[in-house]
Amino acid sequence: MLRSDDLLARSLAAVWHPCTQMKHHEALPLVPIVGGEGAWLIDADGRRLLDGISSWWVNLFGHCNPRINAALKDQLDTLEHVMLAGFTHPPVVELSERLAALTGHRLGHAFYASDGASATEIALKMSVHYWRNHGEAGKNRFLSLAGSYHGETVGALAVTDVALFRDAYAALVRGGGTVPCPDARLAADGEPAAEVARRAAAALEAHLDAHHAETAALIVEPLVQGAAGMVMYDAEYLRLARALCDRYRVHLIADEIAVGCGRTGTFFAWEQAAAPGAGTAGGWPDFLCLSKGISGGYLPLSLVLSSDDIYQAFYDEHTARAFLHSHSYTGNPLACRAALATLDIFTADGVIEANRSRARLLGDAVRARFADHRAVRHLRQCGMIAAFDVAGAPPDFARRFFAAALEQGVLLRPIGDTVYFMPPYIVDADDIDRLADGAAAALAAALA
Ligand SMILES: *Cc1c(COP(=O)(O)O)cnc(C)c1O
C-alpha cells in the first residue's frame, strides 16, 4: 500500500515540478494522484477530484478512456517505435492523411514532434527557411500578439509575451515584434468585439507596412489566448490578419496547440474564420500547430501542418534546402495511435455536435452562479472554455482558489485573477453543476 505522506516527501526530494516555486509546497501540499477514471482523478487516500481543466488542457475524453486504452494496447504489441527518417509506419501515415482531410487538404503536410513548444519552433524555423530558400534571407523576424503564449523553450519564448516566463531569459531570447491583441474586453460600452478586431488589425497593418521586409511570420493563438488568461477575440481579426499577411508576404502561423481539437466549437478554431476560396490556401494559415488534445491527453505528440506552397519550397536536389529538423521520438507510433483513437471518438460520437449542448450547459451553469457576482468581471465563453476575471483579488488569489477548490473535490487552477473552466468533453450536467458549485465555494473562500 502506497502511503501518501511518503510519496509527497519523496516527490519533493527527487522531482522538480514544472511551473512551480518549489518553496510554495512548504505550505501547499502536492496532490498525490494514483488513478484516473473518466473526468475524475483519484488521490492516494481514495479521494476523487473532478478535472475541470482537462489536466492542463490535454485530456479530451477522460482518464483511462477504454477506447484509447484498447488502441494503445494493440499498438504496444505491434510496434512501439521506429525512427521516422527513412522509415514510415501505418499510424503516422493514417494520422497525417486524416488531419490533412480535416483541413480540406489545404494543409496537407504533417511534420511531427513531441511538445507544443517544439511545434512552435518548427513552424518558426520552417518559415525563415522558406524565405531563405526563396532568396529572401532578410525575412527572419517574427511578430506575435500582446499577451501571446507559444511555449517556453528559448526559440518559442521569442514569440511569448509573458514577462514572468521571459524576463529571466531575456539575454537568450531574440525578441520579435508585438502588435496589439484584439482582446474583446477592450471594447467600449456597446462596441462589438469585431470593432476591436478591426482596430487591432489596423495596428497590424501599420506594423507590417513598416517591417514586412524583415518579417517572416505572424503567429497567433486563434480565438482564445489561453495562457494570457483565456483572452477571447472575434474571428474577424483572423480574416483581416490573413488578408494583411497575404498583401505583405508574411506567413501566418496558427498555434492551435490549446484551441485545436474541438475546444472552441469547431475541430480547428480557424474554421470559424475561414472564408471559402479566399486568399492563400483558401484563407487558411500557412502553418497550423497542434499538440495537447491531439493524443487525447495520453502521450506527448505535437505536429505542424503546412500548405503545399511551404512544402514545395524545400523540395529540391540539395540537402541544405531540406528541413533538417528532427527529434528522436518524431512521429512515435504509440502517440500517433492514441491520436487516431482520439479522432475515431470525434467521429463515432459526433463530438463537435454533442459539445454544442455541453457548452450551452457549461455557459448556463457559470452564468447562473457568477453573472451577478459583485467581484466577477468579463464573464466570457468560447465553446468548451468559460472564464471570468475577479476584481479585488488578493495577490495569492490563484493559489488560494486552487486550494479551496481542491477541498470541494474539483480541480480548477486560475491564471492570475482569471478563473476558467476547460473540462474534458465527457462531463455531463451533474459534473458541470459540481464544477460551478465548487468554483462558487472556492471563490468565496479565496476572497474571504
Ligand atoms: C501549451 C501551449 C504551448 C506549449 O506546449 P508545450 O507542450 O507545453 O510545450 C504552445 N502554445 C500554446 C497556445 C499553448 O497553450
Side-chain angles (χ1 to χ4, degrees):
M1 185 60 196
L2 203 60
R3 285 199 31 249
S4 67
D5 289 353
D6 201 38
L7 190 69
L8 298 191
R10 284 164 53 202
S11 193
L12 291 176
V15 182
W16 200 336
H17 292 267
C19 204
T20 298
Q21 171 49 268
M22 293 297 292
K23 193 166 170 39
H24 287 164
H25 281 307
E26 289 175 5
L28 181 69
L30 283 164
V31 186
I33 297 299
V34 295
E37 191 185 310
W40 298 85
L41 291 164
I42 300 154
D43 81 4
D45 301 320
R47 254 184 1 144
R48 292 160 65 84
L49 263 183
L50 184 55
D51 189 349
I53 58 164
S54 304
S55 286
W56 254 359
W57 322 348
V58 300
N59 189 292
L60 301 190
F61 300 119
H63 299 277
C64 292
N65 181 288
R67 288 184 275 181
I68 303 175
N69 283 11
L72 276 175
K73 285 173 185 165
D74 177 69
Q75 188 61 43
L76 204 49
D77 287 329
T78 310
L79 175 68
E80 87 299 342
H81 185 66
V82 63
M83 60 194 282
L84 199 63
F87 296 84
T88 194
H89 54 79
V92 79
V93 174
E94 200 185 321
L95 179 58
S96 307
E97 288 175 350
R98 284 170 68 175
L99 290 171
L102 283 168
T103 69
H105 297 280
R106 293 171 184 95
L107 303 174
H109 305 276
F111 195 100
Y112 289 86
S114 307
D115 292 296
S118 303
T120 296
E121 300 220 2
I122 286 164
L124 299 178
K125 283 177 67 181
M126 273 184 177
S127 174
V128 165
H129 199 162
Y130 170 102
W131 294 115
R132 182 185 164 87
N133 282 353
H134 275 289
E136 296 184 66
K139 282 171 88 69
N140 59 33
R141 304 205 76 98
F142 304 112
L143 195 53
S144 58
L145 303 186
S148 59
Y149 179 90
H150 299 289
E152 291 166 53
T153 51
V154 171
L157 278 178
V159 288
T160 288
D161 183 34
V162 179
L164 188 61
F165 297 151
R166 195 159 93 165
D167 285 357
Y169 315 103
L172 306 181
V173 175
R174 183 167 173 265
T178 307
V179 286
C181 171
D183 186 346
R185 293 173 302 184
L186 299 172
D189 248 356
E191 187 186 33
E195 200 48 45
V196 183
R198 282 188 277 274
R199 257 189 279 136
L204 172 64
E205 180 172 10
H207 184 98
L208 290 176
D209 199 54
H211 299 292
H212 64 92
E214 65 263 21
T215 303
L218 165 72
I219 182 166
V220 299
E221 296 160 82
L223 301 182
V224 185
Q225 289 185 309
M230 303 301 154
V231 172
M232 300 182 185
Y233 63 90
D234 196 272
E236 178 70 359
Y237 184 78
L238 300 173
R239 284 185 285 274
L240 294 170
R242 175 68 276 182
L244 289 169
C245 286
D246 279 340
R247 168 139 56 98
Y248 287 104
R249 298 180 60 250
V250 166
H251 290 142
L252 207 160
I253 302 168
D255 175 353
E256 298 221 3
I257 290 165
V259 297
C261 302
R263 188 49 75 177
T264 67
T266 43
F267 188 82
F268 298 113
W270 197 275
E271 289 167 53
Q272 296 177 45
T280 304
W284 278 61
D286 301 282
F287 304 91
L288 190 150
C289 305
L290 281 185
S291 186
K292 292 206 163 102
I294 186 62
S295 72
Y298 267 66
L299 288 160
L301 178 68
S302 67
L303 57 102
V304 178
L305 300 174
S306 57
S307 67
D308 206 45
D309 174 49
I310 300 292
Y311 180 76
Q312 291 304 332
F314 294 82
Y315 201 82
D316 196 272
E317 290 297 332
H318 297 286
T319 303
R321 288 177 67 93
F323 191 61
L324 301 179
H325 180 108
S326 62
H327 297 283
S328 307
Y329 284 101
T330 294
N332 173 259
L334 286 165
C336 290
R337 188 67 187 274
L340 287 170
T342 300
L343 293 183
D344 284 343
I345 294 174
F346 270 99
T347 316
D349 294 2
V351 170
I352 297 293
E353 183 61 35
N355 269 0
R356 275 191 206 124
S357 40
R358 193 172 280 117
R360 214 171 301 125
L361 289 175
L362 177 65
D364 289 347
V366 173
R367 266 190 306 277
R369 284 147 185 99
F370 300 104
D372 298 324
H373 192 290
R374 65 184 163 78
V376 169
R377 304 283 183 276
H378 299 296
L379 203 159
R380 54 198 183 272
Q381 183 180 17
C382 182
M384 287 296 289
I385 308 173
F388 57 80
D389 305 331
V390 176
D396 56 349
F397 171 77
R399 264 180 292 137
R400 288 172 63 149
F401 183 103
F402 169 71
L406 286 181
E407 302 258 299
Q408 301 294 320
V410 302
L411 166 48
L412 290 169
R413 199 171 177 275
I415 301 171
D417 299 346
T418 301
V419 172
Y420 72 93
F421 304 83
M422 202 159 162
Y425 309 158
I426 53 165
V427 287
D428 60 20
D430 284 348
D431 297 331
I432 289 170
D433 278 336
R434 202 181 296 254
L435 278 178
D437 285 338
L443 183 62
L447 291 178

PDB file of all heavy atoms in Angstrom, residues 213-230:
ATOM      1  N   ALA A 213       9.537  43.720 -44.745  1.00  0.00           N
ATOM      2  CA  ALA A 213      10.737  43.230 -45.431  1.00  0.00           C
ATOM      3  C   ALA A 213      11.585  42.344 -44.536  1.00  0.00           C
ATOM      4  O   ALA A 213      12.314  41.483 -45.022  1.00  0.00           O
ATOM      5  CB  ALA A 213      11.565  44.415 -45.939  1.00  0.00           C
ATOM      6  N   GLU A 214      11.512  42.560 -43.208  1.00  0.00           N
ATOM      7  CA  GLU A 214      12.289  41.698 -42.314  1.00  0.00           C
ATOM      8  C   GLU A 214      11.410  40.726 -41.531  1.00  0.00           C
ATOM      9  O   GLU A 214      11.898  40.016 -40.662  1.00  0.00           O
ATOM     10  CB  GLU A 214      13.158  42.540 -41.361  1.00  0.00           C
ATOM     11  CG  GLU A 214      12.415  43.401 -40.375  1.00  0.00           C
ATOM     12  CD  GLU A 214      12.243  44.863 -40.816  1.00  0.00           C
ATOM     13  OE1 GLU A 214      12.341  45.139 -42.022  1.00  0.00           O
ATOM     14  OE2 GLU A 214      11.993  45.723 -39.943  1.00  0.00           O
ATOM     15  N   THR A 215      10.116  40.680 -41.841  1.00  0.00           N
ATOM     16  CA  THR A 215       9.210  39.816 -41.075  1.00  0.00           C
ATOM     17  C   THR A 215       8.920  38.522 -41.831  1.00  0.00           C
ATOM     18  O   THR A 215       8.452  38.549 -42.972  1.00  0.00           O
ATOM     19  CB  THR A 215       7.886  40.552 -40.767  1.00  0.00           C
ATOM     20  OG1 THR A 215       8.201  41.763 -40.070  1.00  0.00           O
ATOM     21  CG2 THR A 215       6.976  39.693 -39.906  1.00  0.00           C
ATOM     22  N   ALA A 216       9.209  37.400 -41.161  1.00  0.00           N
ATOM     23  CA  ALA A 216       8.933  36.098 -41.768  1.00  0.00           C
ATOM     24  C   ALA A 216       7.498  35.678 -41.526  1.00  0.00           C
ATOM     25  O   ALA A 216       6.814  35.210 -42.444  1.00  0.00           O
ATOM     26  CB  ALA A 216       9.886  35.041 -41.191  1.00  0.00           C
ATOM     27  N   ALA A 217       7.027  35.831 -40.294  1.00  0.00           N
ATOM     28  CA  ALA A 217       5.712  35.282 -39.957  1.00  0.00           C
ATOM     29  C   ALA A 217       5.070  36.014 -38.784  1.00  0.00           C
ATOM     30  O   ALA A 217       5.749  36.537 -37.900  1.00  0.00           O
ATOM     31  CB  ALA A 217       5.835  33.803 -39.610  1.00  0.00           C
ATOM     32  N   LEU A 218       3.760  35.990 -38.807  1.00  0.00           N
ATOM     33  CA  LEU A 218       2.937  36.389 -37.660  1.00  0.00           C
ATOM     34  C   LEU A 218       2.404  35.103 -37.040  1.00  0.00           C
ATOM     35  O   LEU A 218       1.922  34.222 -37.751  1.00  0.00           O
ATOM     36  CB  LEU A 218       1.754  37.248 -38.147  1.00  0.00           C
ATOM     37  CG  LEU A 218       0.597  37.451 -37.143  1.00  0.00           C
ATOM     38  CD1 LEU A 218       1.018  38.383 -36.011  1.00  0.00           C
ATOM     39  CD2 LEU A 218      -0.642  38.019 -37.859  1.00  0.00           C
ATOM     40  N   ILE A 219       2.533  34.980 -35.722  1.00  0.00           N
ATOM     41  CA  ILE A 219       1.993  33.795 -35.056  1.00  0.00           C
ATOM     42  C   ILE A 219       0.868  34.218 -34.117  1.00  0.00           C
ATOM     43  O   ILE A 219       1.000  35.211 -33.405  1.00  0.00           O
ATOM     44  CB  ILE A 219       3.101  33.005 -34.317  1.00  0.00           C
ATOM     45  CG1 ILE A 219       2.521  31.737 -33.664  1.00  0.00           C
ATOM     46  CG2 ILE A 219       3.857  33.855 -33.294  1.00  0.00           C
ATOM     47  CD1 ILE A 219       3.597  30.746 -33.222  1.00  0.00           C
ATOM     48  N   VAL A 220      -0.242  33.493 -34.173  1.00  0.00           N
ATOM     49  CA  VAL A 220      -1.398  33.822 -33.322  1.00  0.00           C
ATOM     50  C   VAL A 220      -1.983  32.560 -32.703  1.00  0.00           C
ATOM     51  O   VAL A 220      -1.874  31.469 -33.262  1.00  0.00           O
ATOM     52  CB  VAL A 220      -2.534  34.532 -34.115  1.00  0.00           C
ATOM     53  CG1 VAL A 220      -2.048  35.848 -34.701  1.00  0.00           C
ATOM     54  CG2 VAL A 220      -3.100  33.635 -35.211  1.00  0.00           C
ATOM     55  N   GLU A 221      -2.627  32.725 -31.544  1.00  0.00           N
ATOM     56  CA  GLU A 221      -3.494  31.693 -30.970  1.00  0.00           C
ATOM     57  C   GLU A 221      -4.902  32.061 -31.432  1.00  0.00           C
ATOM     58  O   GLU A 221      -5.478  33.021 -30.926  1.00  0.00           O
ATOM     59  CB  GLU A 221      -3.426  31.730 -29.440  1.00  0.00           C
ATOM     60  CG  GLU A 221      -2.075  31.411 -28.838  1.00  0.00           C
ATOM     61  CD  GLU A 221      -1.963  31.934 -27.399  1.00  0.00           C
ATOM     62  OE1 GLU A 221      -2.452  31.259 -26.479  1.00  0.00           O
ATOM     63  OE2 GLU A 221      -1.391  33.021 -27.202  1.00  0.00           O
ATOM     64  N   PRO A 222      -5.478  31.336 -32.382  1.00  0.00           N
ATOM     65  CA  PRO A 222      -6.778  31.737 -32.915  1.00  0.00           C
ATOM     66  C   PRO A 222      -7.902  31.731 -31.872  1.00  0.00           C
ATOM     67  O   PRO A 222      -8.037  30.782 -31.105  1.00  0.00           O
ATOM     68  CB  PRO A 222      -7.063  30.689 -33.997  1.00  0.00           C
ATOM     69  CG  PRO A 222      -5.717  30.169 -34.377  1.00  0.00           C
ATOM     70  CD  PRO A 222      -4.916  30.197 -33.114  1.00  0.00           C
ATOM     71  N   LEU A 223      -8.651  32.794 -31.809  1.00  0.00           N
ATOM     72  CA  LEU A 223      -9.862  32.987 -30.992  1.00  0.00           C
ATOM     73  C   LEU A 223      -9.634  33.124 -29.486  1.00  0.00           C
ATOM     74  O   LEU A 223     -10.286  33.925 -28.834  1.00  0.00           O
ATOM     75  CB  LEU A 223     -10.913  31.887 -31.236  1.00  0.00           C
ATOM     76  CG  LEU A 223     -11.417  31.742 -32.668  1.00  0.00           C
ATOM     77  CD1 LEU A 223     -12.485  30.628 -32.710  1.00  0.00           C
ATOM     78  CD2 LEU A 223     -11.980  33.035 -33.209  1.00  0.00           C
ATOM     79  N   VAL A 224      -8.739  32.319 -28.904  1.00  0.00           N
ATOM     80  CA  VAL A 224      -8.529  32.376 -27.454  1.00  0.00           C
ATOM     81  C   VAL A 224      -7.037  32.325 -27.140  1.00  0.00           C
ATOM     82  O   VAL A 224      -6.350  31.385 -27.545  1.00  0.00           O
ATOM     83  CB  VAL A 224      -9.216  31.192 -26.729  1.00  0.00           C
ATOM     84  CG1 VAL A 224      -9.068  31.350 -25.208  1.00  0.00           C
ATOM     85  CG2 VAL A 224     -10.688  31.071 -27.105  1.00  0.00           C
ATOM     86  N   GLN A 225      -6.544  33.341 -26.434  1.00  0.00           N
ATOM     87  CA  GLN A 225      -5.176  33.289 -25.916  1.00  0.00           C
ATOM     88  C   GLN A 225      -5.246  32.621 -24.551  1.00  0.00           C
ATOM     89  O   GLN A 225      -5.676  33.235 -23.569  1.00  0.00           O
ATOM     90  CB  GLN A 225      -4.600  34.692 -25.774  1.00  0.00           C
ATOM     91  CG  GLN A 225      -4.294  35.366 -27.105  1.00  0.00           C
ATOM     92  CD  GLN A 225      -3.607  36.699 -26.876  1.00  0.00           C
ATOM     93  OE1 GLN A 225      -4.084  37.522 -26.108  1.00  0.00           O
ATOM     94  NE2 GLN A 225      -2.489  36.910 -27.538  1.00  0.00           N
ATOM     95  N   GLY A 226      -4.826  31.367 -24.493  1.00  0.00           N
ATOM     96  CA  GLY A 226      -5.018  30.559 -23.294  1.00  0.00           C
ATOM     97  C   GLY A 226      -4.246  31.050 -22.092  1.00  0.00           C
ATOM     98  O   GLY A 226      -4.827  31.499 -21.089  1.00  0.00           O
ATOM     99  N   ALA A 227      -2.912  30.981 -22.170  1.00  0.00           N
ATOM    100  CA  ALA A 227      -2.081  31.275 -21.002  1.00  0.00           C
ATOM    101  C   ALA A 227      -2.178  32.739 -20.577  1.00  0.00           C
ATOM    102  O   ALA A 227      -1.891  33.078 -19.432  1.00  0.00           O
ATOM    103  CB  ALA A 227      -0.631  30.893 -21.272  1.00  0.00           C
ATOM    104  N   ALA A 228      -2.612  33.620 -21.488  1.00  0.00           N
ATOM    105  CA  ALA A 228      -2.787  35.028 -21.126  1.00  0.00           C
ATOM    106  C   ALA A 228      -3.946  35.187 -20.145  1.00  0.00           C
ATOM    107  O   ALA A 228      -4.132  36.257 -19.572  1.00  0.00           O
ATOM    108  CB  ALA A 228      -3.033  35.872 -22.368  1.00  0.00           C
ATOM    109  N   GLY A 229      -4.743  34.124 -19.991  1.00  0.00           N
ATOM    110  CA  GLY A 229      -5.909  34.191 -19.109  1.00  0.00           C
ATOM    111  C   GLY A 229      -7.204  34.092 -19.903  1.00  0.00           C
ATOM    112  O   GLY A 229      -8.144  34.842 -19.658  1.00  0.00           O
ATOM    113  N   MET A 230      -7.234  33.162 -20.846  1.00  0.00           N
ATOM    114  CA  MET A 230      -8.441  32.920 -21.653  1.00  0.00           C
ATOM    115  C   MET A 230      -8.984  34.230 -22.236  1.00  0.00           C
ATOM    116  O   MET A 230     -10.141  34.596 -22.074  1.00  0.00           O
ATOM    117  CB  MET A 230      -9.525  32.191 -20.843  1.00  0.00           C
ATOM    118  CG  MET A 230      -9.051  30.864 -20.265  1.00  0.00           C
ATOM    119  SD  MET A 230      -8.492  29.698 -21.560  1.00  0.00           S
ATOM    120  CE  MET A 230      -7.338  28.688 -20.604  1.00  0.00           C
TER     121      MET A 230
END
